[in-house]
Amino acid sequence: MTNLIDGRAVAENVYLELRVEIERLKAKEITPGLAVVLVGDNPASRAYVRSKDKMSRELGLHSVKLELPESTTQSELLARVNELNRDRNIHGILVQSPPPRQIDESVIVQALDPRKDVDGFHPENVAKLALGDESGFVPCTPLGVQRLLVESKIAISGAHVVILGRSMIVGKSLALLLLQKGKNADATVTVVHSRSRNLEEITRSADILIAAIGRAGFVKAEHVRDGAVVIDVGINRVEDPENVRGYRLVGDVAFDEVAGKAAAITPVPGGVGPMTIAMLMSNTVKAARQFAAT
């Protein structure tokens, strides 16, 4: 019988741990602070920001939601980022992606104080991930995938992990994370993408298959061997006239046909998604803890 990996339940475990640590920090007169910056009025981005702000407040964090108009210039955004870098009450900064076209996202990421880069994309944090330096910040979705595997008691050490997708947001970062020498890692990792040859043959060799390609229902039964673990990072909107919203959310995995072959699988929604926000909160608390130690 296929084991459904419940991301919401694992996220709640993370929040239970964080509440204890937050209270310890508050006893030292430090309230972890998270600033989320939204430029423009992208509906999906606005919903993400609202969710992050809501969870920050529920956990008792100092939450700042900075909403800037679509017309905001790069220099104006950089000025706001620099203000947050200097604010001692803010330990984590996230600039919601994607920004409007006039903003060069890479410039904004590099302007962040790496000690406050709780998204984990500053070059200094990427280097720390590659070097195995635990003082850095790992991008939230890869960190969430690792936590899901650990909480589900799925062996990572020695496993062949195939990651479908090579973005820095998920694929590259997750490969670096699971390749680390030590606890909750030590995997043999293969990264495949749109240019990979013999794709089905490679994905069928996976003990753990992680789909992060951004194409609805791309992973079919023929991509998965019997008994593999399947982690679906994708979240895609597909039209559904029977749904009151006119669409429904699906992953990169054709769930109904793959679930019967997998030993364990994440649903969409309710799998990796809740873990991304949980790991953002975890990174923010970590940033506050490291601030307290300086």
Side-chain angles (χ1 to χ4, degrees):
M1 182 177 178
T2 301
N3 174 29
L4 196 64
I5 299 173
D6 187 345
R8 293 190 177 98
V10 177
E12 283 303 317
N13 290 340
V14 174
Y15 295 138
L16 285 173
E17 294 172 4
L18 290 179
R19 285 186 169 93
V20 173
E21 190 163 3
I22 291 165
E23 289 307 311
R24 287 176 182 158
L25 286 166
K26 286 184 175 181
K28 299 177 182 178
E29 299 185 344
I30 296 173
T31 299
L34 174 64
V36 180
V37 182
L38 174 65
V39 184
D41 198 29
N42 180 295
S45 293
R46 185 168 290 280
Y48 290 144
V49 168
R50 189 165 55 245
S51 297
K52 292 164 184 173
D53 178 63
K54 180 175 181 288
M55 183 50 64
S56 293
R57 295 180 186 280
E58 286 182 8
L59 290 173
L61 272 58
H62 169 51
S63 181
V64 174
K65 183 172 64 172
L66 188 58
E67 298 179 327
L68 304 176
E70 182 84 20
S71 59
T72 299
T73 66
Q74 181 152 299
S75 60
E76 289 170 337
L77 179 55
L78 284 170
R80 291 301 189 100
V81 167
N82 287 330
E83 288 175 9
L84 294 170
N85 282 340
R86 294 191 298 268
D87 189 337
R88 292 179 63 82
N89 294 316
I90 295 297
H91 305 99
I93 305 169
L94 182 149
V95 180
Q96 184 63 43
S97 182
R101 284 179 296 177
Q102 73 273 17
I103 304 295
D104 185 335
E105 192 168 11
S106 65
V107 172
I108 304 304
V109 169
Q110 292 183 50
L112 291 169
D113 182 338
R115 296 169 299 179
K116 298 187 177 188
D117 168 39
V118 288
D119 240 358
F121 297 131
H122 189 282
E124 184 172 316
N125 285 316
V126 175
K128 285 184 173 182
L129 173 59
L131 293 168
D133 184 340
E134 294 183 358
S135 70
F137 296 99
V138 178
C140 301
T141 299
L143 201 57
V145 168
Q146 184 188 46
R147 181 68 183 258
L148 279 178
L149 293 171
V150 171
E151 292 269 339
S152 302
K153 295 181 171 53
I154 293 164
I156 300 173
S157 180
H160 183 204
V161 177
V162 175
I163 302 171
L164 180 56
R166 54 180 168 177
S167 72
M168 196 64 224
I169 295 173
V170 182
K172 289 179 184 176
S173 299
L174 184 54
L176 288 170
L177 182 62
L178 297 183
L179 275 171
Q180 297 294 332
K181 184 177 181 179
K183 186 179 179 182
N184 301 331
D186 284 325
T188 300
V189 180
T190 302
V191 178
V192 292
H193 47 79
S194 59
R195 301 291 183 182
S196 297
R197 297 174 182 172
N198 304 319
L199 185 66
E200 290 180 16
E201 180 182 337
I202 298 170
T203 59
R204 279 198 303 270
S205 71
D207 300 308
I208 302 171
L209 177 60
I210 300 168
I213 198 171
R215 293 174 61 180
F218 178 86
V219 176
K220 306 286 200 267
E222 57 266 26
H223 291 95
V224 182
R225 71 165 179 80
D226 289 339
V229 173
V230 180
I231 306 294
D232 192 350
V233 179
I235 183 162
N236 311 280
R237 289 188 180 191
V238 296
E239 291 184 10
D240 184 355
E242 295 183 5
N243 191 300
V244 66
R245 295 178 296 183
Y247 68 88
R248 57 190 170 89
L249 298 177
V250 300
D252 291 351
V253 176
F255 184 89
D256 290 342
E257 63 176 274
V258 170
K261 298 185 72 175
I265 189 170
T266 57
V268 176
V272 175
M275 293 302 299
T276 299
I277 294 180
M279 292 300 101
L280 173 63
M281 300 299 123
S282 180
N283 276 350
T284 301
V285 173
K286 175 181 175 180
R289 182 175 67 247
Q290 293 184 164
F291 171 82
T294 59

